Amino acid sequence: MVKYQHAYEKLLDITSKENVLVDEHIRNHTYTRLGGRADLFVTPTSYDEVQDIVKLANKVDVPFTLLGNGSNLIVRDGGIRGIVLSLKKLDTISREGHRIVAQSGAAIIDASRRALDEHLSGLEFACGIPGTVGGALFMNAGAYGGEIKDCLEYAKVVDPNGDLLKLAPEDLDLEYRSSNIPDKGYIVLEAGFKLEPGEYEDIKAVMDDLTYKRESKQPLEFPSCGSVFKRPPGYFAGKLIQDSELQGKGVGGAEVSTKHAGFIVNKENCTATDYISVIEMVQKTVKEKFGVSLEREVKILGEDLEEKK
């Protein structure tokens, strides 16, 4: 018997059966390769389907969680109950004048590459950010001096009632690595990026330089969630962790990267519990040594195994 059988049957009225997976391993959908199972893992293929799924979750009172591409996320080992919504099949990218329009499930890296192909400048900073367009808006993602709020023209979102809204950047309260999207319960469906015409070779040179910096400094050879901590005022998180002599230290299969101290890597079959324990170890050590509180940039969702039992 499928857990939430009634919700499962109603989901099949909204979208195709291949878009509704039962008891799906979330670790198959996260960059850290961590996470227990989702009761119902749903991948809609249209905006209407997203709206209908939100309305269904409200009507039948089933727990509902939005999952991006899992790049800035840790899902606990007990998994997530109810409906887990993934927008990875909403991944179209197009050009409209000097604007790149990208659906939320598209990789922000791919949006930057499409801008390059169209000789449009302004998204170069995003060429190495490992997340979706929706996730990039969710946290106002940025790198190398640029961030989403610098080029965002509008966003289409679904609100908690299932209504479709078109919002301006100022409606989203975009600040350093934050927005009001989680507080408002919005689900991003689409973003329009207002860019400027540029020379292909000039844009490519910037992107090549940023890609080199990323690949040479970041531990891309291991699963991770990217930079774990926000930059504390007046400091750099990676430098504090490095100066705390934490590189190479870990719990279970999780370890502070020896290549970049701001990263925690899944070096060998670690669990989400291992990974979270390393985060807490780093926070405790840095606080004791420097009196600085490191705030997580990465989100943590789901249940521990004990809770599920």
Side-chain angles (χ1 to χ4, degrees):
M1 173 67 71
V2 176
K3 192 171 185 180
Y4 302 110
Q5 179 70 34
H6 180 63
Y8 174 72
E9 293 171 357
K10 291 295 184 181
L11 285 169
L12 296 184
D13 292 333
I14 295 172
T15 188
S16 302
K17 188 173 183 179
E18 61 266 24
N19 297 331
V20 186
L21 303 179
V22 177
D23 210 23
E24 173 69 0
H25 282 290
I26 300 177
R27 65 171 179 255
N28 295 331
H29 306 279
T30 63
Y31 271 50
T32 54
R33 300 292 181 263
L34 303 175
R37 295 176 183 265
D39 295 323
L40 299 169
F41 189 86
V42 190
T43 52
T45 58
S46 71
Y47 296 175
D48 286 343
E49 287 183 358
V50 176
Q51 290 180 262
D52 289 343
I53 291 167
V54 172
K55 291 174 182 176
L56 171 66
N58 289 335
K59 184 177 181 180
V60 299
D61 193 27
V62 173
F64 178 87
T65 302
L66 176 66
L67 185 79
N69 72 338
S71 61
N72 193 46
L73 178 71
I74 301 166
V75 177
R76 292 186 174 95
D77 300 311
I80 302 177
R81 308 286 65 78
I83 296 171
V84 175
L85 184 71
S86 167
L87 302 181
K88 64 181 181 179
K89 292 182 179 178
L90 296 176
D91 61 356
T92 299
I93 303 172
S94 61
R95 175 180 180 166
E96 296 178 2
H98 293 163
R99 180 191 302 125
I100 290 294
V101 176
Q103 291 185 318
S104 61
I108 190 66
I109 290 174
D110 290 342
S112 72
R113 289 172 179 164
R114 179 61 184 270
L116 168 65
D117 291 341
E118 299 291 348
H119 298 208
L120 294 174
S121 176
L123 266 178
E124 292 90 331
F125 72 91
C127 69
I129 296 175
T132 61
V133 168
L137 267 66
F138 185 95
M139 63 174 295
N140 185 31
Y144 300 109
E147 54 188 352
I148 290 298
K149 74 174 184 178
D150 297 336
C151 56
L152 183 68
E153 183 176 10
Y154 74 85
K156 287 185 180 179
V157 307
V158 171
D159 71 11
N161 297 317
D163 296 324
L164 182 65
L165 308 175
K166 185 175 181 179
L167 303 176
E170 52 267 29
D171 297 323
L172 299 176
D173 296 336
L174 299 172
E175 300 293 343
Y176 174 70
R177 301 299 179 268
S178 70
S179 72
N180 65 17
I181 291 172
D183 293 335
K184 297 280 189 179
Y186 292 148
I187 298 173
V188 177
L189 297 182
E190 176 183 305
F193 299 104
K194 187 175 182 180
L195 308 176
E196 297 294 333
E199 295 295 328
Y200 179 91
E201 291 302 328
D202 293 340
I203 298 169
K204 186 174 185 299
V206 173
M207 292 174 66
D208 286 347
D209 179 57
L210 296 182
T211 298
Y212 171 77
K213 289 179 179 177
R214 174 174 177 259
E215 292 179 348
S216 63
K217 295 179 180 179
Q218 297 182 10
L220 304 180
E221 64 272 25
F222 295 111
S224 80
C225 59
S227 296
V228 176
F229 304 102
K230 295 181 180 181
R231 186 179 66 228
Y235 298 91
F236 291 97
K239 183 69 164 57
L240 290 170
I241 298 166
Q242 180 179 327
D243 291 347
S244 297
E245 300 181 341
L246 288 171
Q247 286 179 277
K249 296 184 178 181
V251 176
E255 178 182 288
V256 178
S257 170
T258 56
K259 192 173 185 180
H260 189 310
F263 285 63
I264 295 170
V265 296
N266 177 355
K267 194 165 184 181
E268 187 175 3
N269 300 320
C270 87
T271 65
T273 301
D274 292 339
Y275 207 99
I276 294 168
S277 294
V278 176
I279 290 175
E280 293 171 347
M281 176 189 73
V282 169
Q283 289 174 313
K284 181 175 183 291
T285 303
V286 170
K287 179 67 173 179
E288 290 175 349
K289 192 172 183 67
F290 297 104
V292 178
S293 297
L294 292 180
E295 181 182 355
R296 278 190 289 106
E297 183 173 305
V298 63
K299 309 300 179 185
I300 299 176
L301 298 177
E303 302 178 347
D304 291 322
L305 282 172
E306 292 78 6
E307 294 179 64
K308 186 178 180 183
K309 292 176 183 177

